[in-house]
Amino acid sequence: MAGLAATTVATALSVEQDSGYHYITPQKRNLIMMVSDGFGSASESMARGYVQQMDNKPYEWLSVLDKLYVGLSRTKSADTLVTDSAAGATVFSCGKKTYNGAIGVTSDEKPCGTVLEAAKDAGYTTALVVTSRITHATPAAFAAHVVERGMEELIAQQLVGNNTLGNKVDLMFGGGKCFFQPNSTPGSCRSDSMDVWALAKDSGYTSVSSRAEFDMLETSTALPLIGLFTQGHMSYNIDRNPTVEPSLTEMAMKALNILLEHTRDSPTGFFIMIEGSRIDMAGHDNDPTAHLHDIIEYWETVAAVQGFVDRHPNTAMVSTSDHETGGLTLGIDPEYVWHPRHMQGVKKSAEVICAELRQMLPDKRTGFAQNIVIPEYLGITNASNQSLAQIVNGAAKGEVECKHAVGHVVSKLAHLGWSTGGHTGADVGLYAYGKGTESLRGNIENTQVGEFLARYLEVDLDQITRRLENETTTQPGYVWARNLPSIVKREDRHSNSHDHGCNDDPLSHHIIDIYHQNYRL
């Protein structure tokens, strides 16, 4: 990976570009919302530090995101201080906080109109581009409404027009074809016989599912268009075969060029949500190198999008994260160091390594880990017996344990730490570019990001909410239950402190309310 920084911008800008400026009336505008799922400030520091060290960049070197930094976004959801991606995306799409697991519904489990739906209703052309399943939490929250994120069968149906509003996403690129295939198809994720891929075609969608078909797409390709290139999530960038799967940058630029062409003679522009989905999943795996590679790919996408905005000044771009994942720390006790070089030799993600290990007979794993995984896949030449045992034992325990074991072996050498295999409640970076984004400054609540999107496009989400009153939000046969709220709500009791008989106690003015019962802080 040496030389990675030097090729970042060049690679991004060498991806398919549009043919030039497109001058239009001042009223016409485009909005690009970018989500770096699970990407925290420490992750940006890690990637920057890696590039500086490996490519001998000066101390003052900035990544493309560093240059666009405008503030921080807070991340809590309606029911907990640590959000999940469903609530974290719904707050962007609807501008309203909701409970963890909610997709396009508010805390009362009722559908809320999204910025994508309102944009489509106002005449904008709309798109979703992701590296996860297209039915996963973030893309789903912009174009579907279900009470629990696991209802991906219903989400798939809603994405292709089987919903109250009809077709609302003009272009979709990503993974997750398995939820569009009937259960009779090998590799299907559905529990029923519904063929959603056929349903999409019946709804007018042009469909593609291979790299060759993707490459053949012209800017004039008919919309609506759906391209799903893997059965499940798309590969981590470290594992991606470029002859099989397009990169996030390639998908984003292809989508932008198609949207540009299709809105050339339209009085309205487009809205697109682009997600670097798998940054988050590498954080869950505590896999620092997969995390790094997907961050670098996201940087490339941001650079390409920034170039697009420069050429089309009626366009604005916002980038932020729904939350941080993994609780990454640069440095572990007791030494004040971390060593980026130990990620340089890693060739495969923990996900791919563990898939290979766990399909082997147990008595074959030690030899494979010792002779292949550690020296070839991880690039480690002096691994301890403890590291070998850690990987082999992790493989025996389970998929998650195996991925954490592999990730922790590399992390220990690099002196990186992880506080969790889940999310944290930390604030995340906020980045913006283009005219009209000046109001996004400082430390803001995540609701303000969603409010900005609607305000920039001048669309009415409330009227969409009213039309969604009878939307189906539960998947037949899916059993679910909401978790109890854990968030602490603080109330100022100055006005009636005497009623509590504690006006002389300074803590009496700060009471917490949980399920209508008062507790002191």
Side-chain angles (χ1 to χ4, degrees), residues 495-516:
S495 61
N496 60 353
S497 60
H498 290 284
D499 296 338
H500 295 276
C502 51
N503 57 303
D504 56 342
D505 181 355
L507 291 179
S508 68
H509 304 310
H510 303 293
I511 307 297
I512 61 175
D513 179 73
I514 303 176
Y515 280 96
H516 310 297

Side-chain angles (χ1 to χ4, degrees), residues 233-255:
H233 301 308
M234 298 185 74
S235 298
Y236 284 120
N237 211 54
I238 192 174
D239 304 317
R240 183 178 62 87
N241 182 342
T243 67
V244 176
E245 299 176 45
S247 68
L248 178 64
T249 308
E250 290 171 322
M251 292 191 295
M253 292 311 298
K254 179 82 76 171

Side-chain angles (χ1 to χ4, degrees), residues 221-295:
T221 297
L223 297 180
L225 167 67
I226 183 170
L228 302 182
F229 307 104
T230 53
Q231 285 292 100
H233 301 308
M234 298 185 74
S235 298
Y236 284 120
N237 211 54
I238 192 174
D239 304 317
R240 183 178 62 87
N241 182 342
T243 67
V244 176
E245 299 176 45
S247 68
L248 178 64
T249 308
E250 290 171 322
M251 292 191 295
M253 292 311 298
K254 179 82 76 171
L256 287 172
N257 290 322
I258 292 173
L259 294 173
L260 184 69
E261 178 63 28
H262 279 265
T263 58
R264 189 172 296 277
D265 299 318
S266 170
T268 50
F270 61 78
F271 171 77
I272 182 173
M273 192 284 293
I274 301 169
E275 184 190 31
S277 317
R278 304 220 66 194
I279 296 171
D280 166 72
M281 299 175 199
H284 281 291
D285 293 347
N286 288 183
D287 183 344
T289 316
H291 196 56
L292 170 70
H293 278 258
D294 271 57
I295 291 167

Side-chain angles (χ1 to χ4, degrees), residues 398-430:
E399 179 184 4
V400 172
E401 292 84 354
C402 180
K403 290 188 289 189
H404 281 182
V406 171
H408 290 173
V409 165
V410 176
S411 297
K412 184 176 181 180
L413 289 172
H415 279 242
L416 298 171
W418 303 89
S419 68
T420 177
H423 301 170
T424 77
D427 294 353
V428 293
L430 177 66

Side-chain angles (χ1 to χ4, degrees), residues 325-443:
T325 302
L328 176 66
T329 61
L330 311 185
I332 54 176
D333 189 54
E335 296 180 83
Y336 290 3
V337 297
W338 83 277
H339 305 295
R341 68 179 183 276
H342 288 290
M343 292 187 287
Q344 186 177 18
V346 179
K347 301 295 190 296
K348 294 189 178 186
S349 71
E351 178 179 84
V352 166
I353 291 171
C354 288
E356 291 187 40
L357 271 172
R358 285 178 48 74
Q359 71 181 6
M360 293 181 172
L361 294 173
D363 62 353
K364 302 290 185 183
R365 289 173 181 161
T366 298
F368 183 75
Q370 186 172 29
N371 299 318
I372 302 297
V373 171
I374 290 175
E376 294 188 16
Y377 293 172
L378 301 182
I380 299 172
T381 58
N382 57 345
S384 65
N385 291 333
Q386 181 182 4
S387 294
L388 174 63
Q390 186 175 350
I391 292 172
V392 174
N393 292 338
K397 291 178 181 178
E399 179 184 4
V400 172
E401 292 84 354
C402 180
K403 290 188 289 189
H404 281 182
V406 171
H408 290 173
V409 165
V410 176
S411 297
K412 184 176 181 180
L413 289 172
H415 279 242
L416 298 171
W418 303 89
S419 68
T420 177
H423 301 170
T424 77
D427 294 353
V428 293
L430 177 66
Y431 311 88
Y433 190 68
K435 293 179 180 178
T437 62
E438 295 79 11
S439 64
L440 292 173
R441 296 293 185 273
N443 187 291

Side-chain angles (χ1 to χ4, degrees), residues 12 25 47 123 126 148 155 159 171 192 198 273 303 329 333 370 380 481:
T25 62
T126 60
E148 211 287 318
I155 290 170
L159 288 177
L171 184 152
D192 60 23
M273 192 284 293
T329 61
D333 189 54
Q370 186 172 29
I380 299 172

